[in-house]
Structure formats: structure tokens, C-alpha cells
Amino acid sequence: MEELEISEIITANDPTIAWKACLLKIKENVSMMTYNTWFLPIKPVELNNLTLKVQIPSQFFWEWIDEHFNALINRSITEVLGKDAKLTYIIAEDKSSSEREDNVSANNGSQPISVERQKPKHNIESNLNPRYTFDNFIKGEGNQLARAAAGAISDNPGGTSFNPLFLYGGVGLGKTHLIQAIGNQIVKNYPEKKVIYLSSDIFTVEFVESIQSNKVNEFSNFYRSMDVLIIDDIQFLIGKEKTQDLFFHIFNTLHQSRKQIILSSDKPPKDLKGLDERLISRFQWGLTADIQPPELETRIAILKRKAETYGMAVSNEILEYIASNITSNIRELEGCLIKLLANVSLNSKEITFELAKKTVKEIATDRKATNINIETITKVVCEHLGVAENKIRDKTRKKEIVLARQLAMFLSKELTLSSLKTIGLHFGGRDHSTVIHACNAIEDYKSKDDSFNRIIDELRDKIEFST
Ligand code: ADP
Ligand code: MG
């Protein structure tokens, strides 16, 4: 394309011309691979008053380019359309409801200025993320019951026997996705209904704030006036007795007036030790449904779908490889694809089997770093050495307890990202120098006694296994 004058583009008011002109500038600054991966999938939609609207394949896609190419995009748009130009985008997955603005004239302003949502007939902010829909939720054996119940509730909120719907399952298996999909669907089907989504820790924070500002009644009445109350990760209410008590009353009011309650948790109700019995029994009034990790076919289907949305061309062989190696968590499956995309785009590589292998390995390493915690380490070490767990924090200098403590400190340093200070705090508020001393002592034993290395290897395996 020939160089175009700004005035020509503006008068033409043609988004395609404007975006093409931007692409020319962008192309000069990035590799061909990056250009093809990240910029070609962007489609111009509309040019209006110096605001260029483009369509992006997914929210993730936007976040990625925003993080890596924000300055470049801003510069090119400013060069093409002038300093008052603006870029707005819509997500292809969800054209109507996720529209954000990027003010290009601000030097690095990438904050979304406004988020347009479905338009309910009241002023309640639902907090729902439009990204979570039934359409992009892949069905599988592991989520069959949960998905079916979710669909039934969306068609008839408060009117089924699934009240409350209590959804539980491990991390990254789609609980948040599914309960928000119900919310989004209800907003669509019944714009007059007041739907609200929040996690139980936000609920707790709001409650505490309401106490401080003397507005507990308002707080409570607000939630009692909802038609659909969706609370994520209800397990975080454990140990928060006052919040539980208030929630109990809100629950009763809503349930009596046949309003829909939807809850998620990492465990079934009966295993929520430390939660008020009255709540546990109420949670079982409706339907309790679990989400199990997806089987291989579902994992492949999910990956395929995500690859499509990201506009990635990945061979079936590679998708199958990823799906066979990342088995327990859908967030990780997604993460792997994103990492792969990043590796490809930043290093101008092609998506090869080797690269997929490397990426899967990186994900496994990340998982270790984030999931292993000092509690697990302490537990495993104590079990292994036959030492009572509470003793390890005591002042005692008994030989086997000192050894257990030193081993646990050593492994905490090796296997977690915790600072020496944090590690010390976990072991009876000891100083960071004690942790250093413990690590040195263990290194010393290791160098003198080979069987010690074997014990440490066994412990490491056990810890990774229990995580
Ligand atoms: P949880 O709340 O159980 O920890 P999330 O709902 O946050 O899990 O899911 C993690 C990620 O995996 C999200 O990006 C979600 O969209 C995706 N995901 C989970 N289940 C599915 C599914 N069945 N189909 C498609 N994407 C899924
Ligand atoms: Mg969640």
C-alpha cells in the first residue's frame, strides 16, 4: 500500500484503510512471525471520530498485545490518525458485551476506560465477566451434571429444585467459568433480574467495611434484594464466624422467596470443616454437583477450541501431546497454549514438537514453584521422621526434632519461593539466620553421608506427590 496522508484516511473514514496504514508501521518494527501471530488476526471494524474500533480474537489476546506491544500500537495509531486518535476493541468471542477503550493519546495509557456490559434494567453492577459463557464451555464427562444443572437454572432461576446449586471441584476445573456463565445467561434471558457475582472473600471484605462505616443493614439489605446471588469459593468463609452468621440470614431470606443461590467451593459441603453446621446443611438443600478433571478427549477438545480462538495453527499431534501431559487442570492447559504462543512469537520460532515439549516442561516447573507450600513440606518431613508436627515449632533441642526442623527449612528454601524470613516465621518465629544455619547444616550432612542424599530425594518425591 502506498503511504497515505492522514487527511485522506480521515476523510475516507474507512477503518480498513486506517488499520492497514497502522499495520505498515507495525510491520517495520516486529518480526514476520510476531506480525502474523499477533497483528494479522486483528480486524478493523469501524472508524468514527478518530476512534478506530478493531476486533480481537480473545481477551487473552488483547492482554498479550497490550502488555508487549502497547507502545508500538499507540505510536502507529498516533502517526496514522493524529494525537487525538483512540483505539477501541471488541472481542470476537463476545461481540456485544465486551467493549473497551484505549486512549492512545495518553503516553502509555492502557487502562480500559469503559467496559460495556449487557444492559440490565437496573443499576446493579453484576461483576460478571462476559468471557465466561456456555458457548465456550466444553462439555465432558467430568462436568456433565454441573453443566446440565447450570443450563436448567439459567432457564428458570429460582424455579428448579437446584437451589442452592453447590458446585465443587479442584482448582482450574471451570467452577468460576460455569457459575459466571449461569449469571451471564440469566442476565441475557431476564434483563430485569438482579444478578450479582462475587467471591466469598470479597463478600467478607465488604461486610467488614460495612461494619466500620456503620452500614451493616444496608449491606445486608442489598444482598437480600438480589434475584440471583452467585458466590464463588465459599470455603473462604471458614473461620469467619460473623460473616457466616450474616450470610446465613441472607441465604434464608433469598431461599424463602425462591431467589436463586449459586455457590462454588473446593470441597463438598460436608468437608467444609469449620463452617457453621447450619450453613453446611442448607448448602445440601438443593443440588450438589462436582466437577472432575477432564478426560483426554475433553482436554483435546478444549485445547482445539482455545487454539482456534487465539488464531493459532497447531497440529493435532502437538495438541494431543499437550493434552496427554497436562492432565489435572484446565487453567494449566490454557496456560501452556499461551506460553507456547509466547515462545513462538517472541523468539520467531515455529510451533514444533520440540517447542511444545519444552513448554510443557516449563509449566510443570511453574506448578511446583506455586503449589508446594511450607505446611506440606513440614507435614511430609514430620511423618517421614516420626516426629509430631507441633513439636517442630517448639524450642526443644531434642536431636530428631532439630533434624526434622532443619530438613523442613532446607526443603522449604529449595522447593518454595518463600523468603528466609517467611520460612523462619513458619518454624516458631525463628530468625532468618537460623534458616541459613539449618541449610548449611543439611548441606554439610549431605556432603559427608551419601544416604542422606537419598533421604532428601525421597522427601522431595513425597512432597511433590502430596502437592
Ligand atoms: P476454577 O474456578 O474451578 O478454579 P476456572 O473457572 O477459573 O476454574 O477455569 C480455569 C480456566 O479454564 C478458565 O480460563 C476457564 O475458562 C477454562 N475452562 C475451565 N473449564 C472449561 C471448559 N469445560 N471448557 C472451556 N474452558 C474451560
Ligand atoms: Mg475459581
Side-chain angles (χ1 to χ4, degrees):
M1 204 174 83
E2 313 246 313
E3 280 285 317
L4 278 157
E5 287 299 318
I6 294 175
S7 58
E8 279 178 80
I9 295 168
I10 296 172
T11 15
N13 234 354
D14 182 336
T16 316
I17 298 180
W19 181 240
K20 271 198 179 148
C22 293
L23 283 181
L24 284 177
K25 310 257 174 217
I26 290 168
K27 208 171 179 178
E28 291 165 7
N29 292 286
V30 297
S31 74
M32 208 48 213
M33 194 72 198
T34 301
Y35 180 77
N36 290 338
T37 312
W38 297 106
F39 293 98
L40 280 189
I42 302 177
K43 303 271 176 279
V45 179
E46 194 180 283
L47 178 64
N48 208 340
N49 287 331
L50 294 182
T51 300
L52 176 63
K53 186 193 276 183
V54 293
Q55 179 185 305
I56 313 252
S58 70
Q59 181 64 31
F60 154 71
F61 199 97
W62 172 258
E63 281 161 15
W64 179 268
I65 47 181
D66 192 36
E67 191 179 331
H68 294 89
F69 309 112
N70 177 287
L72 176 61
I73 295 180
N74 283 352
R75 207 168 61 230
S76 64
I77 298 235
T78 314
E79 278 176 30
V80 171
L81 293 172
K83 68 175 174 37
D84 293 327
K86 265 187 180 176
L87 181 74
T88 67
Y89 71 95
I90 52 171
I91 308 284
E93 290 173 53
D94 192 78
K95 280 179 203 145
S96 63
S97 58
S98 175
E99 185 159 327
R100 289 169 194 219
E101 289 195 343
D102 216 18
N103 194 332
V104 186
S105 53
N107 32 10
N108 59 359
S110 67
Q111 283 84 18
I113 293 168
S114 74
V115 183
E116 230 177 82
R117 298 187 182 275
Q118 250 116 359
K119 297 211 175 35
K121 294 186 177 147
H122 49 72
N123 296 323
I124 307 288
E125 174 63 60
S126 72
N127 308 323
L128 290 163
N129 183 338
R131 182 169 99 78
Y132 296 122
T133 62
F134 286 136
D135 275 349
N136 59 21
F137 187 83
I138 309 277
K139 293 181 197 173
E141 246 169 68
N143 61 39
Q144 217 164 24
L145 175 63
R147 171 65 183 81
I153 288 171
S154 314
D155 292 339
N156 191 4
T160 66
S161 55
F162 309 150
N163 201 14
L165 173 65
F166 189 99
L167 218 61
Y168 72 91
V171 210
L173 294 183
K175 300 183 295 296
T176 298
H177 187 135
L178 200 51
I179 60 178
Q180 291 214 33
I182 305 177
N184 280 316
Q185 190 66 30
I186 295 178
V187 170
K188 211 165 165 184
N189 292 351
Y190 304 91
E192 75 286 357
K193 286 207 190 290
K194 295 181 190 162
V195 180
I196 197 155
Y197 163 90
L198 74 168
S199 81
S200 76
D201 48 358
I202 304 271
F203 182 83
T204 308
V205 170
E206 282 187 6
F207 174 51
V208 172
E209 277 171 6
S210 79
I211 297 175
Q212 283 159 357
S213 55
N214 244 329
K215 287 185 175 151
V216 176
N217 275 340
E218 268 174 81
F219 173 80
S220 165
N221 289 339
F222 175 76
Y223 287 102
R224 283 171 207 241
S225 74
M226 290 300 133
D227 295 299
V228 181
L229 175 62
I230 309 174
I231 300 208
D232 210 349
D233 293 316
I234 199 81
Q235 74 272 11
F236 294 138
L237 285 192
I238 287 176
K240 313 211 168 102
E241 278 148 37
K242 273 193 148 173
T243 318
Q244 286 180 35
D245 190 52
L246 182 88
F247 182 65
F248 174 75
H249 294 291
I250 294 174
F251 185 102
N252 289 342
T253 309
L254 291 176
H255 197 271
Q256 274 156 21
S257 39
R258 296 173 64 90
K259 306 294 189 189
Q260 182 69 47
I261 301 162
I262 300 162
L263 307 166
S264 88
S265 159
D266 62 346
K267 310 178 190 61
K270 64 174 174 40
D271 293 346
L272 290 170
K273 303 267 174 302
L275 200 74
D276 190 341
E277 283 298 328
R278 300 178 302 174
L279 279 176
I280 293 183
S281 90
R282 272 162 181 73
F283 290 172
Q284 294 165 320
W285 278 356
L287 179 74
T288 302
D290 64 336
I291 299 196
Q292 293 294 332
E295 344 71 84
L296 181 66
E297 289 72 20
T298 313
R299 296 201 298 274
I300 296 175
I302 290 173
L303 278 175
K304 270 205 173 119
R305 171 67 85 84
K306 304 259 170 198
E308 265 169 41
T309 6
Y310 299 159
M312 292 168 80
V314 193
S315 70
N316 284 342
E317 191 198 12
I318 289 179
L319 292 180
E320 277 179 41
Y321 175 80
I322 298 174
S324 315
N325 283 280
I326 297 182
T327 54
S328 61
N329 180 326
I330 298 171
R331 189 172 297 133
E332 267 182 18
L333 276 180
E334 222 175 3
C336 187
L337 217 49
I338 290 170
K339 237 185 162 140
L340 190 60
L341 203 51
N343 278 334
V344 167
S345 139
L346 295 181
N347 309 321
S348 307
K349 288 183 199 147
E350 280 191 56
I351 302 184
T352 58
F353 203 80
E354 281 312 304
L355 193 62
K357 255 182 155 162
K358 179 174 163 268
T359 311
V360 166
K361 217 169 159 185
E362 281 173 19
I363 296 274
T365 319
D366 289 356
R367 170 177 10 174
K368 276 185 210 155
T370 47
N371 282 1
I372 295 181
N373 59 39
I374 301 178
E375 279 76 32
T376 314
I377 294 174
T378 310
K379 188 163 161 279
V380 170
V381 169
C382 287
E383 259 170 33
H384 199 84
L385 300 188
V387 167
E389 230 182 292
N390 54 358
K391 287 269 163 19
I392 208 164
R393 286 173 210 97
D394 290 353
K395 290 255 178 295
T396 172
R397 304 202 54 83
K398 261 178 118 176
K399 209 170 155 224
E400 72 269 19
I401 294 172
V402 173
L403 180 63
R405 189 188 302 134
Q406 289 180 333
L407 271 171
M409 285 178 167
F410 171 84
L411 288 164
S412 298
K413 171 150 181 295
E414 189 184 87
L415 300 176
T416 74
L417 300 171
S418 307
S419 67
L420 295 173
K421 195 170 167 202
T422 310
I423 296 173
L425 285 175
H426 269 82
F427 295 93
R430 289 175 158 81
D431 195 74
H432 80 279
S433 61
T434 312
V435 183
I436 296 177
H437 176 75
C439 295
N440 290 339
I442 299 294
E443 288 292 357
D444 195 39
Y445 297 143
K446 275 166 51 120
S447 66
K448 286 182 184 142
D449 181 353
D450 205 38
S451 65
F452 214 83
N453 283 311
R454 219 186 43 241
I455 297 177
I456 291 182
D457 284 343
E458 272 171 38
L459 283 170
R460 246 189 238 117
D461 283 350
K462 275 196 179 173
I463 291 163
E464 277 163 23
F465 188 74
S466 346
T467 303

